[in-house]
Amino acid sequence: MDAAAQLVGQLEAFLAEKARLRREHPLRYLFWEATLRCNLACLHCGSDCSRDQDSAARELPPEVVMRELDAVAQRYDARTITFAIIGGEPLVRRDLECVGAHAAGLGFSWGITTNGLMLDAKRLASLKAAGLSTIAVSLDGLEPEHDRLRDCPGAFRRVVGALERLVADPFYQAFDVICCVSTLNIDGLEPLVDFLAGLGVPRVRFTPVFSRGRAGRNSPLLLSAAQYRQMLGFIAEQRESRREIEVTLSEEGYWGPQWECRVREGMHYCGSGTVVASILHDGRITGCPSVSRQFIEGELREVRFLDAWEKNFRRFRQGRRAVAPAACHACEHWALCEGGGFHLFDPAQRDIETCSLRKVEAI
């Protein structure tokens, strides 16, 4: 079989697999947005999280989350599902460990995403004792860039201390660093990767900042077309040349044949609502936790999570084209792209550019 025929076969298999996932929607990732509270107020925050405590009263108590986990484990094989706790800053809640231990006891692999400031030795030991499987720590550049984006002098040094604790422990193989790429750090990505590799960090995942939350109000942070191409080229080159650290791009969008499979493993695929679901801090149910709150599929005070997962989510599974931007409807890239990440759709913000190909001026 020649290379062209092999490529066609791979693309056909990929499209068939996406159709199967829409049809069968096997739950693989269940996010719990434990809180909107945060100990920082970052310039690029997509969730617009806050240091204030106003949202605390709306947070789900741990017994409600554990009840839903029990139901999921009764219906599905929990060993095939990752339970991911996010925020806000999830570590502001002191009851994460009881939920995590309950999840681990049911067979779930569970993890957290954190800004790292509260990840001292005592808290890390507590999380690990509760069966923590994976952890992602945010670091958005070297010291000047990170501290400026986080609006917190000294944040970089505290995060590095957390990373050093993780690297010094056998647990380190199960963690990675997430870096949000903006105009402030686009020119410092290689020194950052050098620094992380020197620490012994096994993996760094880049994700471009997008127009949501405070980032939407700080447009100077958004990348230009040339800077998007710079980011993609850098990641592609690093994936070819690096051996001591894995460099990859998040599931932001479809970047076209020039970049797909060069910047991450496999083709772009957004599993929001097909393999990914979220329980938000106040009990609302949706796909990926980053999607617009226009796409809520139920609330725990009215419906159990499994009922919503199995009976709702039609917009995510069959009606995706209808909620995508109008420019997507006749696009020749639709079959592979499907509008990019579902989190880029927002009926209330249709004037914001979401097409990755237009961002890099490929169409």
Side-chain angles (χ1 to χ4, degrees):
M1 180 182 296
D2 62 29
Q6 184 177 12
L7 177 59
V8 170
Q10 291 172 341
L11 291 176
E12 289 176 342
F14 174 67
L15 295 176
E17 177 64 6
K18 289 206 298 183
R20 183 190 72 82
L21 294 175
R22 285 194 298 269
R23 183 174 63 253
E24 300 178 4
H25 49 269
L27 184 63
R28 292 292 177 260
Y29 291 88
L30 176 56
F31 286 89
W32 173 36
E33 180 190 69
T35 183
L36 284 184
R37 291 177 289 150
C38 190
N39 53 344
L40 292 174
C42 304
L43 301 182
H44 59 320
C45 180
S47 300
D48 216 0
C49 298
S50 174
R51 292 189 181 99
D52 67 47
Q53 304 296 307
D54 290 349
S55 62
R58 300 191 299 273
E59 293 173 1
L60 292 176
E63 56 268 20
V64 172
V65 181
M66 291 189 286
R67 178 196 72 192
E68 299 302 324
L69 290 174
D70 287 340
V72 172
Q74 289 172 9
R75 187 75 59 87
Y76 301 116
D77 183 353
R79 295 171 299 178
T80 66
I81 301 171
T82 297
F83 177 57
I85 304 177
I86 61 168
E89 171 49 52
L91 293 183
V92 303
R93 287 191 62 152
R94 306 305 300 184
D95 53 6
L96 292 188
E97 283 84 345
C98 72
V99 178
H102 188 77
L106 293 170
F108 292 94
S109 170
W110 76 278
I112 64 169
T113 299
T114 174
N115 62 37
L117 296 190
M118 302 176 71
L119 195 63
D120 57 22
K122 182 178 179 181
R123 193 67 190 272
L124 180 59
S126 177
L127 291 165
K128 289 174 59 180
L132 181 70
S133 300
T134 62
I135 186 167
V137 180
S138 297
L139 189 68
D140 297 319
L142 295 178
E143 188 166 9
E145 295 82 15
H146 182 80
D147 286 0
R148 183 178 175 189
L149 281 166
R150 298 285 164 174
D151 195 23
C152 180
F156 175 84
R157 294 180 182 274
R158 291 167 65 183
V159 175
V160 170
L163 295 178
E164 289 173 338
R165 280 186 285 276
L166 290 167
V167 169
D169 191 291
F171 180 81
Y172 80 91
Q173 294 182 351
F175 89 92
D176 65 354
V177 164
I178 301 173
C179 176
C180 185
V181 183
S182 71
T183 54
L184 291 184
N185 61 13
I186 181 66
D187 293 323
L189 300 186
E190 186 165 9
L192 175 64
V193 175
D194 289 340
F195 176 77
L196 294 175
L199 285 181
V201 171
R203 185 171 186 259
V204 57
R205 185 173 12 139
F206 291 102
T207 182
V209 65
F210 65 100
S211 301
R212 189 71 56 80
R214 279 189 290 273
R217 296 196 297 272
N218 287 275
S219 57
L221 295 176
L222 302 180
L223 301 178
S224 67
Q227 288 170 326
Y228 274 112
R229 293 192 295 270
Q230 178 183 344
M231 177 192 70
L232 294 171
F234 169 76
I235 294 171
E237 185 277 327
Q238 293 287 295
R239 287 178 61 79
E240 292 179 357
S241 63
R242 292 276 183 177
R243 295 295 177 267
E244 74 280 26
I245 184 172
E246 180 185 353
V247 180
T248 190
L249 180 69
S250 67
E251 284 293 347
E252 170 68 15
Y254 171 77
W255 298 98
Q258 179 180 357
W259 299 112
E260 288 296 319
C261 300
R262 295 180 61 204
V263 292
R264 54 177 169 250
E265 292 298 323
M267 296 286 292
H268 159 71
Y269 173 67
C270 173
S272 183
T274 54
V275 297
V276 177
S278 300
I279 297 174
L280 302 181
H281 75 287
D282 55 4
R284 290 179 294 172
I285 300 164
T286 189
C288 166
S290 296
V291 301
S292 167
R293 296 312 183 242
Q294 301 287 323
F295 302 126
I296 297 299
E297 297 294 329
E299 299 184 32
L300 289 183
R301 64 184 178 184
E302 299 172 350
V303 63
R304 298 296 293 271
F305 167 76
L306 274 180
D307 288 337
W309 177 250
E310 295 176 354
K311 298 175 183 178
N312 299 345
F313 287 88
R314 291 179 181 85
R315 290 175 293 192
F316 292 82
R317 297 166 189 167
Q318 288 89 35
R320 189 180 180 96
R321 193 189 291 263
V323 297
C328 295
H329 296 181
C331 181
E332 63 181 2
H333 295 273
W334 173 263
L336 293 175
C337 175
E338 294 188 317
F342 206 100
H343 68 283
L344 297 174
F345 303 171
D346 193 334
Q349 294 183 320
R350 292 192 178 275
D351 58 329
I352 293 178
E353 179 60 75
T354 61
C355 176
S356 298
L357 293 177
R358 282 198 292 269
K359 287 178 180 178
V360 296
E361 297 181 343
I363 60 174

Short mmCIF file of all heavy atoms in Angstrom, two decimals, residues 256-300:
data_model
loop_
_atom_site.label_atom_id
_atom_site.label_comp_id
_atom_site.label_asym_id
_atom_site.label_seq_id
_atom_site.Cartn_x
_atom_site.Cartn_y
_atom_site.Cartn_z
N GLY A 256 -5.11 22.25 10.57
CA GLY A 256 -4.92 21.96 9.16
C GLY A 256 -3.84 20.94 8.90
O GLY A 256 -3.07 20.55 9.79
N PRO A 257 -3.74 20.45 7.65
CA PRO A 257 -2.81 19.36 7.32
C PRO A 257 -1.34 19.70 7.53
O PRO A 257 -0.53 18.80 7.71
CB PRO A 257 -3.12 19.09 5.84
CG PRO A 257 -3.79 20.33 5.33
CD PRO A 257 -4.54 20.88 6.49
N GLN A 258 -1.01 20.98 7.53
CA GLN A 258 0.40 21.35 7.73
C GLN A 258 0.86 21.03 9.15
O GLN A 258 2.04 20.73 9.37
CB GLN A 258 0.60 22.84 7.44
CG GLN A 258 2.05 23.31 7.65
CD GLN A 258 2.24 24.78 7.35
OE1 GLN A 258 1.30 25.46 6.93
NE2 GLN A 258 3.44 25.29 7.59
N TRP A 259 -0.09 21.12 10.13
CA TRP A 259 0.32 21.02 11.53
C TRP A 259 -0.22 19.79 12.26
O TRP A 259 0.43 19.28 13.17
CB TRP A 259 -0.12 22.27 12.29
CG TRP A 259 0.47 23.53 11.77
CD1 TRP A 259 -0.18 24.55 11.14
CD2 TRP A 259 1.86 23.91 11.81
NE1 TRP A 259 0.69 25.55 10.79
CE2 TRP A 259 1.96 25.18 11.20
CE3 TRP A 259 3.01 23.31 12.31
CZ2 TRP A 259 3.15 25.86 11.06
CZ3 TRP A 259 4.21 23.98 12.18
CH2 TRP A 259 4.27 25.24 11.57
N GLU A 260 -1.40 19.31 11.86
CA GLU A 260 -1.98 18.17 12.57
C GLU A 260 -1.00 16.99 12.55
O GLU A 260 -0.34 16.73 11.56
CB GLU A 260 -3.31 17.76 11.94
CG GLU A 260 -4.43 18.74 12.21
CD GLU A 260 -4.78 18.86 13.69
OE1 GLU A 260 -4.83 17.83 14.38
OE2 GLU A 260 -5.02 19.99 14.15
N CYS A 261 -0.93 16.27 13.65
CA CYS A 261 -0.04 15.13 13.87
C CYS A 261 1.42 15.54 14.06
O CYS A 261 2.25 14.71 14.42
CB CYS A 261 -0.13 14.09 12.76
SG CYS A 261 -1.77 13.39 12.54
N ARG A 262 1.74 16.82 13.85
CA ARG A 262 3.09 17.29 14.12
C ARG A 262 3.16 17.95 15.50
O ARG A 262 4.25 18.03 16.08
CB ARG A 262 3.55 18.29 13.06
CG ARG A 262 3.70 17.72 11.66
CD ARG A 262 4.16 18.78 10.70
NE ARG A 262 5.47 19.33 11.10
CZ ARG A 262 5.92 20.53 10.74
NH1 ARG A 262 5.15 21.35 10.02
NH2 ARG A 262 7.10 20.95 11.14
N VAL A 263 2.03 18.46 15.99
CA VAL A 263 2.05 19.22 17.24
C VAL A 263 1.48 18.43 18.42
O VAL A 263 1.53 18.89 19.56
CB VAL A 263 1.28 20.55 17.08
CG1 VAL A 263 2.04 21.48 16.14
CG2 VAL A 263 -0.14 20.32 16.58
N ARG A 264 0.91 17.26 18.17
CA ARG A 264 0.42 16.39 19.24
C ARG A 264 0.22 15.00 18.66
O ARG A 264 0.31 14.79 17.44
CB ARG A 264 -0.90 16.90 19.81
CG ARG A 264 -1.97 17.14 18.78
CD ARG A 264 -3.29 17.58 19.36
NE ARG A 264 -4.15 18.04 18.29
CZ ARG A 264 -4.49 19.30 18.08
NH1 ARG A 264 -4.10 20.23 18.91
NH2 ARG A 264 -5.26 19.63 17.06
N GLU A 265 -0.06 14.03 19.50
CA GLU A 265 -0.31 12.67 19.05
C GLU A 265 -1.68 12.60 18.37
O GLU A 265 -2.69 12.94 18.96
CB GLU A 265 -0.27 11.69 20.23
CG GLU A 265 1.10 11.53 20.85
CD GLU A 265 2.12 10.96 19.88
OE1 GLU A 265 1.76 10.08 19.08
OE2 GLU A 265 3.29 11.40 19.92
N GLY A 266 -1.71 12.16 17.13
CA GLY A 266 -2.97 11.98 16.45
C GLY A 266 -3.61 13.27 15.97
O GLY A 266 -3.06 14.37 16.11
N MET A 267 -4.80 13.12 15.41
CA MET A 267 -5.55 14.26 14.88
C MET A 267 -6.31 14.98 15.98
O MET A 267 -6.61 14.41 17.03
CB MET A 267 -6.54 13.77 13.83
CG MET A 267 -5.91 13.15 12.59
SD MET A 267 -5.17 14.40 11.52
CE MET A 267 -6.64 15.25 10.94
N HIS A 268 -6.66 16.24 15.69
CA HIS A 268 -7.52 16.98 16.61
C HIS A 268 -8.83 16.24 16.81
O HIS A 268 -9.48 15.81 15.86
CB HIS A 268 -7.81 18.36 16.04
CG HIS A 268 -9.04 19.01 16.62
ND1 HIS A 268 -9.09 19.48 17.91
CD2 HIS A 268 -10.27 19.21 16.11
CE1 HIS A 268 -10.29 19.98 18.15
NE2 HIS A 268 -11.03 19.81 17.07
N TYR A 269 -9.22 16.10 18.08
CA TYR A 269 -10.53 15.53 18.40
C TYR A 269 -11.05 16.19 19.67
O TYR A 269 -10.38 16.17 20.71
CB TYR A 269 -10.47 14.02 18.60
CG TYR A 269 -11.78 13.45 19.09
CD1 TYR A 269 -12.90 13.46 18.27
CD2 TYR A 269 -11.91 12.95 20.39
CE1 TYR A 269 -14.12 12.98 18.72
CE2 TYR A 269 -13.12 12.47 20.84
CZ TYR A 269 -14.22 12.48 20.01
OH TYR A 269 -15.43 12.01 20.46
N CYS A 270 -12.23 16.79 19.59
CA CYS A 270 -12.87 17.36 20.76
C CYS A 270 -13.92 16.36 21.26
O CYS A 270 -14.91 16.11 20.57
CB CYS A 270 -13.53 18.70 20.42
SG CYS A 270 -14.53 19.38 21.77
N GLY A 271 -13.71 15.80 22.43
CA GLY A 271 -14.62 14.81 22.98
C GLY A 271 -15.68 15.37 23.89
O GLY A 271 -16.39 14.61 24.57
N SER A 272 -15.84 16.69 23.89
CA SER A 272 -16.83 17.31 24.77
C SER A 272 -18.23 16.78 24.45
O SER A 272 -18.70 16.85 23.32
CB SER A 272 -16.81 18.83 24.58
OG SER A 272 -17.71 19.47 25.45
N GLY A 273 -18.88 16.21 25.45
CA GLY A 273 -20.22 15.71 25.29
C GLY A 273 -20.32 14.34 24.66
O GLY A 273 -21.42 13.78 24.59
N THR A 274 -19.20 13.78 24.19
CA THR A 274 -19.20 12.42 23.66
C THR A 274 -18.41 11.47 24.54
O THR A 274 -18.84 10.36 24.81
CB THR A 274 -18.65 12.37 22.22
OG1 THR A 274 -17.35 12.98 22.19
CG2 THR A 274 -19.57 13.10 21.26
N VAL A 275 -17.24 11.90 25.00
CA VAL A 275 -16.48 11.11 25.97
C VAL A 275 -16.14 11.92 27.21
O VAL A 275 -15.62 11.38 28.19
CB VAL A 275 -15.19 10.53 25.36
CG1 VAL A 275 -15.51 9.57 24.22
CG2 VAL A 275 -14.25 11.64 24.88
N VAL A 276 -16.44 13.23 27.18
CA VAL A 276 -16.10 14.14 28.27
C VAL A 276 -17.36 14.80 28.81
O VAL A 276 -18.17 15.33 28.04
CB VAL A 276 -15.12 15.24 27.80
CG1 VAL A 276 -14.84 16.23 28.92
CG2 VAL A 276 -13.83 14.63 27.29
N ALA A 277 -17.51 14.79 30.13
CA ALA A 277 -18.63 15.48 30.79
C ALA A 277 -18.11 16.20 32.02
O ALA A 277 -17.04 15.88 32.54
CB ALA A 277 -19.72 14.50 31.17
N SER A 278 -18.91 17.17 32.49
CA SER A 278 -18.50 17.96 33.66
C SER A 278 -19.68 18.20 34.58
O SER A 278 -20.80 18.44 34.13
CB SER A 278 -17.95 19.32 33.22
OG SER A 278 -16.83 19.17 32.38
N ILE A 279 -19.37 18.13 35.87
CA ILE A 279 -20.28 18.61 36.91
C ILE A 279 -19.69 19.91 37.43
O ILE A 279 -18.57 19.93 37.96
CB ILE A 279 -20.43 17.59 38.04
CG1 ILE A 279 -21.05 16.29 37.51
CG2 ILE A 279 -21.28 18.16 39.18
CD1 ILE A 279 -21.10 15.17 38.54
N LEU A 280 -20.40 21.01 37.23
CA LEU A 280 -19.88 22.31 37.63
C LEU A 280 -20.06 22.55 39.13
O LEU A 280 -20.72 21.79 39.82
CB LEU A 280 -20.56 23.41 36.81
CG LEU A 280 -20.42 23.27 35.29
CD1 LEU A 280 -21.11 24.42 34.58
CD2 LEU A 280 -18.95 23.18 34.88
N HIS A 281 -19.45 23.62 39.61
CA HIS A 281 -19.40 23.84 41.05
C HIS A 281 -20.78 23.93 41.69
O HIS A 281 -20.96 23.57 42.86
CB HIS A 281 -18.61 25.12 41.35
CG HIS A 281 -19.36 26.38 41.06
ND1 HIS A 281 -19.62 26.84 39.78
CD2 HIS A 281 -19.94 27.29 41.91
CE1 HIS A 281 -20.30 27.95 39.85
NE2 HIS A 281 -20.52 28.26 41.11
N ASP A 282 -21.78 24.38 40.91
CA ASP A 282 -23.12 24.57 41.43
C ASP A 282 -24.08 23.45 41.05
O ASP A 282 -25.29 23.57 41.24
CB ASP A 282 -23.68 25.91 40.98
CG ASP A 282 -23.66 26.07 39.45
OD1 ASP A 282 -23.26 25.11 38.75
OD2 ASP A 282 -24.02 27.16 38.97
N GLY A 283 -23.55 22.38 40.47
CA GLY A 283 -24.36 21.22 40.13
C GLY A 283 -24.87 21.18 38.71
O GLY A 283 -25.55 20.22 38.33
N ARG A 284 -24.58 22.20 37.91
CA ARG A 284 -24.98 22.14 36.51
C ARG A 284 -24.11 21.12 35.77
O ARG A 284 -22.98 20.85 36.16
CB ARG A 284 -24.88 23.51 35.86
CG ARG A 284 -25.95 24.49 36.36
CD ARG A 284 -25.80 25.86 35.71
NE ARG A 284 -24.56 26.51 36.11
CZ ARG A 284 -24.11 27.64 35.56
NH1 ARG A 284 -24.79 28.22 34.58
NH2 ARG A 284 -22.99 28.19 35.99
N ILE A 285 -24.66 20.57 34.70
CA ILE A 285 -24.01 19.49 33.95
C ILE A 285 -23.76 19.96 32.53
O ILE A 285 -24.64 20.55 31.89
CB ILE A 285 -24.90 18.24 33.94
CG1 ILE A 285 -25.17 17.74 35.36
CG2 ILE A 285 -24.27 17.12 33.10
CD1 ILE A 285 -26.33 16.76 35.45
N THR A 286 -22.58 19.71 32.00
CA THR A 286 -22.26 20.09 30.63
C THR A 286 -21.17 19.17 30.10
O THR A 286 -20.86 18.15 30.71
CB THR A 286 -21.84 21.57 30.56
OG1 THR A 286 -21.73 21.97 29.19
CG2 THR A 286 -20.53 21.83 31.28
N GLY A 287 -20.58 19.53 28.93
CA GLY A 287 -19.51 18.74 28.35
C GLY A 287 -18.18 19.12 28.98
O GLY A 287 -17.99 19.04 30.19
N CYS A 288 -17.25 19.58 28.17
CA CYS A 288 -15.98 20.08 28.69
C CYS A 288 -16.25 21.24 29.64
O CYS A 288 -17.15 22.06 29.39
CB CYS A 288 -15.12 20.53 27.51
SG CYS A 288 -13.70 21.55 27.95
N PRO A 289 -15.51 21.36 30.73
CA PRO A 289 -15.77 22.45 31.68
C PRO A 289 -15.53 23.84 31.11
O PRO A 289 -15.97 24.83 31.71
CB PRO A 289 -14.81 22.15 32.84
CG PRO A 289 -13.75 21.28 32.26
CD PRO A 289 -14.43 20.46 31.20
N SER A 290 -14.87 23.93 29.97
CA SER A 290 -14.59 25.24 29.38
C SER A 290 -15.66 25.71 28.41
O SER A 290 -15.56 26.83 27.90
CB SER A 290 -13.24 25.21 28.64
OG SER A 290 -12.17 24.97 29.54
N VAL A 291 -16.69 24.89 28.14
CA VAL A 291 -17.68 25.30 27.15
C VAL A 291 -18.54 26.43 27.71
O VAL A 291 -18.64 26.64 28.91
CB VAL A 291 -18.59 24.13 26.71
CG1 VAL A 291 -17.78 23.02 26.11
CG2 VAL A 291 -19.45 23.63 27.85
N SER A 292 -19.19 27.15 26.80
CA SER A 292 -20.08 28.24 27.19
C SER A 292 -21.19 27.72 28.10
O SER A 292 -21.71 26.61 27.92
CB SER A 292 -20.70 28.86 25.93
OG SER A 292 -21.79 29.70 26.27
N ARG A 293 -21.57 28.53 29.06
CA ARG A 293 -22.65 28.14 29.97
C ARG A 293 -24.01 28.20 29.26
O ARG A 293 -25.03 27.92 29.87
CB ARG A 293 -22.64 29.02 31.21
CG ARG A 293 -21.37 28.86 32.07
CD ARG A 293 -21.04 27.39 32.33
NE ARG A 293 -19.88 27.21 33.19
CZ ARG A 293 -18.77 26.61 32.83
NH1 ARG A 293 -18.63 26.15 31.60
NH2 ARG A 293 -17.77 26.46 33.69
N GLN A 294 -24.00 28.52 27.96
CA GLN A 294 -25.21 28.40 27.15
C GLN A 294 -25.53 26.93 26.87
O GLN A 294 -26.65 26.61 26.46
CB GLN A 294 -25.01 29.12 25.81
CG GLN A 294 -24.70 30.60 25.93
CD GLN A 294 -25.89 31.43 26.36
OE1 GLN A 294 -27.01 31.15 25.96
NE2 GLN A 294 -25.64 32.42 27.19
N PHE A 295 -24.55 26.05 27.10
CA PHE A 295 -24.71 24.64 26.74
C PHE A 295 -24.82 23.76 27.99
O PHE A 295 -24.11 22.77 28.15
CB PHE A 295 -23.55 24.18 25.87
CG PHE A 295 -23.40 24.97 24.60
CD1 PHE A 295 -22.20 25.57 24.29
CD2 PHE A 295 -24.46 25.13 23.74
CE1 PHE A 295 -22.05 26.30 23.12
CE2 PHE A 295 -24.34 25.86 22.57
CZ PHE A 295 -23.13 26.46 22.25
N ILE A 296 -25.72 24.11 28.87
CA ILE A 296 -25.99 23.31 30.07
C ILE A 296 -27.00 22.22 29.72
O ILE A 296 -28.00 22.47 29.06
CB ILE A 296 -26.53 24.20 31.21
CG1 ILE A 296 -25.46 25.23 31.61
CG2 ILE A 296 -26.94 23.36 32.41
CD1 ILE A 296 -24.16 24.63 32.12
N GLU A 297 -26.74 21.01 30.18
CA GLU A 297 -27.57 19.85 29.84
C GLU A 297 -28.38 19.32 31.02
O GLU A 297 -28.99 18.26 30.92
CB GLU A 297 -26.68 18.74 29.28
CG GLU A 297 -25.98 19.11 27.99
CD GLU A 297 -26.94 19.31 26.83
OE1 GLU A 297 -27.99 18.64 26.81
OE2 GLU A 297 -26.65 20.14 25.95
N GLY A 298 -28.40 20.04 32.11
CA GLY A 298 -29.16 19.62 33.28
C GLY A 298 -28.54 20.16 34.55
O GLY A 298 -27.44 20.73 34.53
N GLU A 299 -29.26 20.00 35.66
CA GLU A 299 -28.77 20.40 36.98
C GLU A 299 -29.05 19.28 37.96
O GLU A 299 -30.12 18.67 37.93
CB GLU A 299 -29.45 21.69 37.44
CG GLU A 299 -29.20 22.88 36.54
CD GLU A 299 -29.80 24.16 37.10
OE1 GLU A 299 -29.86 24.28 38.35
OE2 GLU A 299 -30.19 25.03 36.31
N LEU A 300 -28.12 19.02 38.87
CA LEU A 300 -28.26 17.89 39.78
C LEU A 300 -29.45 18.03 40.72
O LEU A 300 -29.96 17.02 41.22
CB LEU A 300 -26.98 17.71 40.61
CG LEU A 300 -25.76 17.19 39.84
CD1 LEU A 300 -24.59 16.99 40.78
CD2 LEU A 300 -26.08 15.90 39.10
#
